[in-house]
Amino acid sequence: MMESTAEFNDDDKSSESNQLLPQNPRKPIELFEEVGEEDSEVAYETSDKISIEDFDVESLNDYSTPGPFSWKKLWRFTGPGFLMSIAFLDPGNLEGDLQAGAIAGYSLLWLLLWATVMGLLIQLLSARVGVATGKHLAELCREEYPNWARYLLWIMAEIALIGADIQEVIGSAIAIQILSRGVLPLWAGVIITASDCFMFLFLENYGVRKLEAVFAVLIGTMALSFAWMFADAKPSGKELLIGVLVPKLSSKTIRQAVGVVGCVIMPHNVFLHSALVQSRKIDPKKKGQVQEALNYYSIESTIALLVSFMINLFLTTVFAKGFYGTKQASSIGLVNAGQYLEEKYGGGLLPILYIWGIGLLSAGQSSTITGTYAGQFIMGGFLDLRLKKWLRALITRSFAIVPTMIIAIVFNTSEATLDVLNEWLNVLQSIQIPFALIPLLTLVAKEEVMASFKVGPILQRISWTVAALVIVINGYLLLDFVMSEVNGLLFGSIVCVATTAYVTFVVYLVTRDGALSSTWSTLISGKNSICAGN
């Protein structure tokens, strides 16, 4: 009897201890995602991906043949390209548009068109990497580069993201200040904008398509706002057409031209698009499925960037018509643009100041949400972190919001200080571009990574030429800024040392595995074989 009582007490204590101690030590904290089948960070869980239900059955059996075109399939694939296109419509781009229009008139519209085409090429390569490998660019960089290089690439990507996020948050805060007639100061607008990450998480829980629908509404709001402004301004159709079709560049507009090209390719957007395309269920092992997905994504991305080009065109022409050749042209920025528009075009049915504010708010809000999205992929991919989405979003937002709050308080004194800040942030973006483009172009040409979907020598040459052009143009912007802003021996010495380290790392990325040289040698050997055949 005593023995059975002892056993009962032991069992009772054991059950009590089991109740006190959790069976799964990860469960109470819930900071990490459940480990998937491959025990690795992924852009989207299988359950979150959108199924392409009507993939052609025969094309799935035949691994090399894509199915026939279907509008229904195109609709199912529509979404990632429009999220990607937000980076072409962020407040930094809008400021570049209005300054180009005010200072250069219609003369740089052709450059805006070709800059968008170059941006489309880079984004299609980013999508190609994501679809063909089933991994996004940050994940591939983690696997491809040694630890020291991938950590440097991660730091550079984070710095680029922080710089872009500051511009976007400040742009939203300015819009909130405009729409509240100055009642809400800049710092209050920053706090309101910072809360969008929680809205993002809320929307994401309802599925990818719901999130994409919200972005469609925001892009539609931008398009409607700036089209309304375009209609109010009544710009010259003849001058607009000449500006788009006839290349023209003068020494007086070189800085605006550099700004138009420099704003188009955003480093974090290159990483983002390679992850967004994985929101659809595509089997990278089935060539027919991969090719079909690439075809639809190409169509969708082209339409999305055509829409973004039209929005940028509307804004540029509005300021070209209203302020080109005026005294205000050189002093227009995001802060005072609405007031200048109000003075120029008057109130109307809906005051143009508010139309500008609504368009700017839509641009700022949508770009900050995509910035949060990109930050999650960048951090998770480079570091292989399986953190809960809310924690990753909180960390990503904190990186940008804390410095943005400080900036909002310090730089809220005048419009001129915000313009100086924007110049510094543009330079920061320019510096980071090679660290997204070079890994992308290297990986997309590697057969070990892309298999049969690696790009051919002609496209490699075009891509590297575009990348070199963008890097050189942004290098010019950087040099021009440094020459005008850097004073003093100490500061100059620091800049020289930093520049040397920067160039060394860029050279390492270009020459590693002979990426660039192999592109040209392949092209030359291809030409020689053609000549020999003839």
Side-chain angles (χ1 to χ4, degrees):
M1 181 69 179
M2 289 179 64
E3 185 177 346
S4 63
T5 304
E7 287 177 0
F8 176 79
N9 290 338
D10 288 342
D11 290 342
D12 190 50
K13 288 177 181 178
S14 175
S15 63
E16 186 178 350
S17 64
N18 286 337
Q19 290 176 358
L20 293 173
L21 295 174
Q23 298 298 311
N24 184 354
R26 282 173 24 173
K27 205 68 168 163
I29 303 176
E30 291 189 342
L31 295 181
F32 294 90
E33 298 280 10
E34 292 296 326
V35 179
E37 294 177 3
E38 298 180 356
D39 195 23
S40 176
E41 194 275 341
V42 292
Y44 295 91
E45 296 296 336
T46 304
S47 58
D48 295 333
K49 292 185 178 183
I50 297 169
S51 176
I52 309 300
E53 296 167 356
D54 60 339
F55 260 133
D56 187 75
V57 177
E58 292 183 5
S59 75
L60 298 185
N61 295 329
D62 181 324
Y63 284 12
S64 61
T65 308
F69 177 80
S70 163
W71 288 104
K72 183 179 179 182
K73 285 184 190 177
L74 179 59
W75 173 247
R76 299 290 288 175
F77 277 105
T78 298
F82 282 89
L83 267 69
M84 168 273 293
S85 72
I86 294 296
F88 292 71
L89 298 168
D90 70 350
N93 276 280
L94 300 187
E95 185 161 28
D97 290 339
L98 64 89
Q99 289 175 347
I103 296 172
Y106 299 91
S107 65
L108 295 181
L109 292 179
W110 67 274
L111 192 59
L112 175 63
L113 172 63
W114 284 104
T116 305
V117 171
M118 289 192 294
L120 174 62
L121 172 62
I122 297 300
Q123 295 303 149
L124 289 179
L125 293 178
S126 175
R128 189 183 190 90
V129 166
V131 174
T133 65
K135 299 177 181 178
H136 57 82
L137 185 57
E139 290 178 285
L140 292 170
C141 287
R142 184 186 75 234
E143 297 173 358
E144 183 71 18
Y145 293 97
N147 285 340
W148 70 269
R150 75 165 168 116
Y151 283 128
L152 266 179
L153 286 172
W154 170 63
I155 291 169
M156 293 300 180
E158 290 289 357
I159 291 172
L161 183 61
I162 290 169
D165 213 5
I166 290 173
Q167 281 184 312
E168 292 154 1
V169 171
I170 291 291
S172 286
I174 290 171
I176 291 170
Q177 192 175 44
I178 290 171
L179 294 173
S180 68
R181 298 298 288 186
V183 173
L184 293 174
L186 207 61
W187 62 265
V190 170
I191 293 174
I192 294 170
T193 305
S195 64
D196 67 18
C197 69
F198 298 106
M199 181 183 73
F200 154 72
L201 287 172
F202 175 77
L203 290 171
E204 196 180 27
N205 287 333
Y206 282 88
V208 174
R209 292 300 267 179
K210 301 292 191 301
L211 183 65
E212 291 171 351
V214 170
F215 277 95
V217 171
L218 291 171
I219 292 173
T221 302
M222 273 186 275
L224 183 61
S225 298
F226 297 136
W228 190 316
M229 289 168 55
F230 180 84
D232 274 355
K234 298 180 178 66
S236 167
K238 181 181 176 181
E239 289 186 67
L240 189 155
L241 195 61
I242 292 172
V244 171
L245 299 178
V246 180
K248 192 185 300 182
L249 193 62
S250 69
S251 57
K252 295 179 181 179
T253 60
I254 189 68
R255 191 163 189 173
Q256 282 67 45
V258 169
V260 167
V261 178
C263 287
V264 166
I265 297 176
M266 307 288 282
H268 73 272
N269 206 41
V270 178
F271 289 98
L272 175 65
H273 199 197
S274 65
L276 291 174
V277 293
Q278 292 175 48
S279 59
R280 273 60 176 172
K281 288 183 180 178
I282 302 162
D283 188 349
K285 296 177 183 177
K286 296 180 179 178
K287 293 181 182 179
Q289 247 188 60
V290 172
Q291 187 57 60
E292 194 167 12
L294 290 175
N295 294 342
Y296 284 114
Y297 279 135
S298 297
I299 296 170
E300 184 244 2
S301 296
T302 302
I303 294 171
L305 289 194
L306 178 62
V307 172
S308 75
F309 169 71
M310 292 305 299
I311 292 173
N312 286 315
L313 179 76
F314 288 154
L315 193 59
T316 303
T317 52
V318 164
F319 283 86
K321 171 68 187 302
F323 303 100
Y324 177 57
T326 65
K327 294 179 181 179
Q328 304 104 312
S330 59
S331 61
I332 295 179
L334 288 180
V335 178
N336 57 19
Q339 194 60 45
Y340 281 148
L341 287 168
E342 186 82 2
E343 293 171 3
K344 183 72 178 180
Y345 298 109
L349 180 63
L350 180 65
I352 199 167
L353 174 67
Y354 294 120
I355 298 172
W356 162 250
I358 291 168
L360 181 59
L361 182 63
S362 299
Q365 287 294 323
S366 57
S367 55
T368 51
I369 298 173
T370 53
T372 303
Y373 220 5
Q376 293 190 52
F377 294 132
I378 288 170
M379 178 181 288
F382 274 110
L383 304 183
D384 195 21
L385 292 179
R386 295 180 297 277
L387 295 174
K388 286 289 187 181
K389 289 179 181 179
W390 66 266
L391 183 60
R392 259 195 290 182
L394 187 62
I395 294 171
T396 302
R397 298 307 287 140
S398 298
F399 280 164
I401 293 305
V402 172
T404 306
M405 280 296 298
I406 297 170
I407 286 167
I409 295 169
V410 172
F411 285 83
N412 196 28
T413 53
S414 69
E415 296 168 6
T417 54
L418 280 174
D419 289 337
V420 171
L421 168 67
N422 193 55
E423 287 186 17
W424 277 96
L425 293 174
N426 285 338
V427 168
L428 184 65
Q429 291 293 312
S430 302
I431 292 172
Q432 309 305 328
I433 283 177
F435 306 120
L437 287 187
I438 295 173
L440 172 66
L441 299 186
T442 301
L443 292 167
V444 81
K446 289 192 72 170
E447 191 170 359
E448 299 89 339
V449 176
M450 300 292 294
S452 61
F453 289 97
K454 73 169 188 174
V455 295
I458 299 294
L459 187 54
Q460 286 181 46
R461 183 182 179 183
I462 294 171
S463 304
W464 278 105
T465 302
V466 167
L469 184 63
V470 171
I471 291 170
V472 167
I473 287 173
N474 281 278
Y476 174 86
L477 175 65
L478 176 62
L479 182 64
D480 179 63
F481 183 78
V482 168
M483 293 292 287
S484 61
E485 296 292 332
V486 173
N487 296 307
L489 181 61
L490 179 61
F491 195 19
S493 300
I494 294 172
V495 169
C496 286
V497 172
T499 302
T500 303
Y502 173 85
V503 171
T504 302
F505 189 40
V506 170
V507 170
Y508 164 78
L509 292 174
V510 171
T511 57
R512 185 178 184 272
D513 296 334
L516 188 56
S517 60
S518 65
T519 298
W520 289 95
S521 63
T522 303
L523 184 65
I524 292 169
S525 64
K527 284 183 176 179
N528 290 339
S529 64
I530 292 171
C531 293
N534 292 335

